[in-house]
Amino acid sequence: MTEKSHGERRTGLLNGFAAYGMWGLVPLFWPLLKPAGAVEILAHRMVWSLAFVLVALLITRRWAWAGELLRQPRRLALIVVAAAVITVNWGVYIWAVNSGHVVEASLGYFINPLVTIAMGVLILKERLRPVQWAAVGTGAASVLVLTIGYGRPPWISLCLAFSFATYGLVKKKVNLGGIESLAAETAVQFLPALGYLLWLGSSGDSTFASEGAGHAALLASTGVVTALPLVCFGAAAIRVPLSTLGLLQYLAPVFQFLLGVVYFHESMPAERWAGFALVWLALSMLTWDGLRSARRAAQIRAGLTAPRTATEGQVHSAATLAQVPSQAQVPSQAQVASQAPVPGSGTGEASQLNSGVVEA
C-alpha cells in the first residue's frame, strides 16, 4: 500500500470516528436546549439544517442534482416520504433523550440492522443465510425479554429502528448523496417547521427569543449538529471499506448506551441486561457472518480475475469458486446490512450506509 493510500485510509478512519463519535455523544446536546420542548427543538433542527446545507452547497457549487430531481416526480415523492419518516425519527429521539430514555433510544439503533434485514425479507423478498435467520430470531427474542422487563413493548426503540430502516430503504431508492439528500428533505420540512415556529412565537410560547442569546445560539446550532457528522461520514465512506464502516457505526449506540447508564444514571435491572445481551449476541452473529461473506466475495473476485497463465489446478479452483451461487457473489441488501448495521443522530443498515446518512 502506497504512502498516499495509507494517508487516505487514515483520513477516512479519523472522519469515521468523528462522525460516529458525534452521533454517539449527541444525547449530551439535546438537554442543553431545555426549556424548549421536543417539537420546538425538532422544528428548529429542520429550519437550521436547511440553512447550513444550503451554505455548504453554495460553497461547493453542487446544484446540478436539484434540477434533475425536480424533473423526476417519482423521486420527489420518495423525498417527501423520506422527510416524513425522518421527522418521526428525529422527533422521537429528541423526546426520548430529554425524557430520560437514552438507553431505550440506543437500543433502537442496536436493533436497526436486524430490522433492516427483516424488511429486506418481507418487502424485497430477499433470502437470508441461516446465520442471518438466527440473528433475526435472537433479536426478536430480545424484544420479548425487554417487553417483560419494561412491562411494555420497547416502543421507543421499535419506533426508532423501524423509522430509520424505512428511511434508509427510501433513500436507497432516491440515490442522492448525504448532503444533497438532507437539503432536499429539509426543504420539504422547512415551511411546516417555520410555520410552527412563527405560530409558537405569536402565541408567546417560543423559547428562542425569551431565554437569552445563548439559548438562541444553541437552537441555531442544531443545523451544524445535524449536518457536520454527515460531512465527516461522506469523507469516510469514500476512503474506507464498507466492512470497516459497518464496525465503526456500532460506536454510536455504544456511546449512547454508556451515556444512558453512566452519565444519566438510567436504571438497568437484570432483565434489561438480559435483553441487551441478546441484542449484542445477534449483532455479533450478524457481523461475523457479514465479514465471512465479504471474505468469500473477495476470494471469488480474485478467482475470476486470476491470470490466464495460471496452472490447471488454479484454473479449476477459480472455476469452482465461480460456481458459487450468485447471491454469494453479489450480496443482497439484507446481506450487506449484516456488514453495516447504524445509529444515532442521523446516517448503516445497509441502506443507511449506502445512502450516506445516519441519525439521532
Side-chain angles (χ1 to χ4, degrees):
M1 186 179 288
T2 66
E3 183 177 343
K4 182 179 179 180
S5 59
H6 266 301
E8 285 288 295
R9 184 178 177 85
R10 183 164 55 248
T11 299
L13 285 173
L14 289 175
N15 276 282
F17 276 113
Y20 288 111
M22 284 186 276
W23 282 322
L25 297 176
V26 77
L28 296 173
F29 176 72
W30 303 124
L32 299 178
L33 304 182
K34 293 179 179 179
V39 179
E40 182 181 1
I41 295 171
L42 174 63
H44 276 287
R45 185 178 191 180
M46 295 171 178
V47 169
W48 295 108
S49 292
L50 178 61
F52 184 89
V53 294
L54 286 180
V55 171
L57 290 172
L58 188 63
I59 293 172
T60 57
R61 299 182 180 181
R62 289 157 58 180
W63 297 107
W65 61 273
E68 296 176 5
L69 182 63
L70 290 173
R71 292 191 295 270
Q72 301 177 53
R74 182 176 178 277
R75 292 180 75 199
L76 274 175
L78 289 173
I79 285 290
V80 173
V81 173
V85 174
I86 202 60
T87 296
V88 173
N89 186 276
W90 285 358
V92 171
Y93 188 84
I94 293 168
W95 176 86
V97 170
N98 285 358
S99 301
H101 300 284
V102 176
V103 169
E104 190 174 348
S106 74
L107 175 64
Y109 292 105
F110 275 125
I111 66 175
N112 177 70
L114 301 172
V115 172
T116 299
I117 287 180
M119 289 179 67
V121 174
L122 297 175
I123 298 175
L124 303 180
K125 308 301 181 184
E126 294 180 349
R127 297 173 59 188
L128 299 185
R129 296 185 293 270
V131 175
Q132 291 176 314
W133 277 116
V136 172
T138 304
S142 73
V143 172
L144 179 61
V145 170
L146 288 166
T147 298
I148 296 172
Y150 280 107
R152 57 170 175 79
W155 69 266
I156 295 173
S157 307
L158 294 173
C159 183
L160 290 173
F162 277 94
S163 62
F164 202 61
T166 303
Y167 176 66
L169 178 62
V170 173
K171 281 178 62 66
K172 187 173 177 65
K173 293 182 179 297
V174 173
N175 193 27
L176 272 179
I179 294 296
E180 293 85 349
S181 180
L182 182 62
E185 292 154 17
T186 50
V188 173
Q189 297 168 332
F190 179 78
L191 287 180
L194 182 61
Y196 174 78
L197 291 176
L198 291 174
W199 172 82
L200 207 61
S202 66
S203 63
D205 295 324
S206 173
T207 66
F208 184 76
S210 63
E211 295 294 325
H215 180 72
L218 283 173
L219 285 172
S221 68
T222 53
V224 178
V225 169
T226 300
L228 187 58
L230 285 179
V231 175
C232 294
F233 178 86
I238 62 176
R239 291 178 173 89
V240 297
L242 179 65
S243 57
T244 302
L245 280 179
L247 295 175
L248 282 179
Q249 70 178 317
Y250 285 122
L251 290 175
V254 166
F255 285 169
Q256 293 168 18
F257 174 81
L258 292 175
L259 284 174
V261 174
V262 178
Y263 182 80
F264 292 103
H265 305 291
E266 295 184 14
S267 63
M268 280 293 292
E271 58 270 21
R272 291 186 193 172
W273 280 111
F276 270 86
L278 285 173
V279 171
W280 296 331
L281 174 61
L283 292 177
S284 298
M285 296 163 64
L286 210 56
T287 302
W288 173 80
D289 183 67
L291 292 174
R292 184 184 64 168
S293 176
R295 199 159 40 240
R296 184 182 303 158
Q299 290 173 345
I300 292 170
R301 287 193 297 271
L304 292 175
T305 58
R308 293 179 180 274
T309 56
T311 64
E312 182 178 349
Q314 290 171 326
V315 172
H316 175 74
S317 176
T320 302
L321 283 171
Q323 293 170 5
V324 175
S326 58
Q327 276 186 300
Q329 296 177 29
V330 183
S332 65
Q333 176 175 331
Q335 292 166 341
V336 177
S338 66
Q339 298 178 40
V342 145
S345 194
T347 351
E349 53 303 48
S351 51
Q352 291 166 6
L353 273 177
N354 291 338
S355 65
V357 163
V358 187
E359 168 45 22

